[in-house]
Amino acid sequence: MQMEKELVQAALAAREKAYAPYSGFLVGAALLAENGKVYPGCNVENAAFGPSNCAERTAVFSAVCDGQRHFRMLAVAGGKAGEPLAACFPCGVCRQVLSEFCGPDFPVLVVSSDDGAYQTYTLQELLPCHFTL
Ligand code: THU
């Protein structure tokens, strides 16, 4: 439970770094790697919209770039700037990216309020029948 709470706090802290001037929707993620290191991620938007990146993928790509490919769990916190947090589920693209590195039982902690309350879903629940070659 302690690690889950720390990961949720890391996701909330990463959300503070979100660059989302176009949507005003701020997302933070924190990915716990097998080696115990926590990789934060935030959404980074772009004037051309298409090149924008989600918080979850920022975290995954950062971890992979650091040599990590095995992960224990992910926390996600997202919501409109200035509004109370509500559950923000990873988008379909991020679910597929997670499925590249994480198994069906991989836990995704979805933060549902500013006080750090969260609900846990498995990757299998979020993305049944993921695409694989
Ligand atoms: N966003 C994320 O960062 N993660 C998600 O799982 C859903 C959406 C971002 C992308 C965009 O910057 C903003 O939220 C609104 O879609």
Side-chain angles (χ1 to χ4, degrees):
M1 250 6 193
Q2 190 50 39
M3 197 56 237
E4 280 87 344
K5 286 186 175 161
E6 280 178 36
L7 209 60
V8 163
Q9 290 309 314
L12 289 167
R15 184 170 178 259
E16 304 285 322
K17 307 276 173 36
Y19 176 74
Y22 304 105
S23 71
F25 196 88
L26 312 176
V27 188
L31 181 63
L32 177 64
E34 204 61 66
N35 67 351
K37 203 166 158 185
V38 172
Y39 294 88
C42 64
N43 54 333
V44 182
E45 297 186 346
N46 185 276
F49 291 6
S52 300
N53 204 49
C54 289
E56 298 89 326
R57 275 176 288 151
T58 304
V60 171
F61 297 160
S62 168
V64 171
C65 192
D66 194 40
Q68 299 307 306
R69 295 180 182 178
H70 300 285
F71 304 112
R72 291 192 207 156
M73 56 183 157
L74 174 79
V76 187
K80 272 267 180 197
E83 291 182 14
L85 273 191
C88 166
F89 289 87
C91 78
V93 172
C94 289
R95 296 178 198 202
Q96 178 66 28
V97 167
L98 286 167
S99 77
E100 184 72 21
F101 299 102
C102 309
D105 296 330
F106 179 76
V108 178
L109 317 182
V110 176
V111 182
S112 57
S113 74
D114 294 291
D115 64 8
Y118 63 90
Q119 283 74 45
T120 306
Y121 300 84
T122 64
L123 187 55
Q124 166 70 22
E125 287 176 302
L126 297 178
L127 184 67
C129 310
H130 73 276
F131 175 77
T132 184
L133 287 173

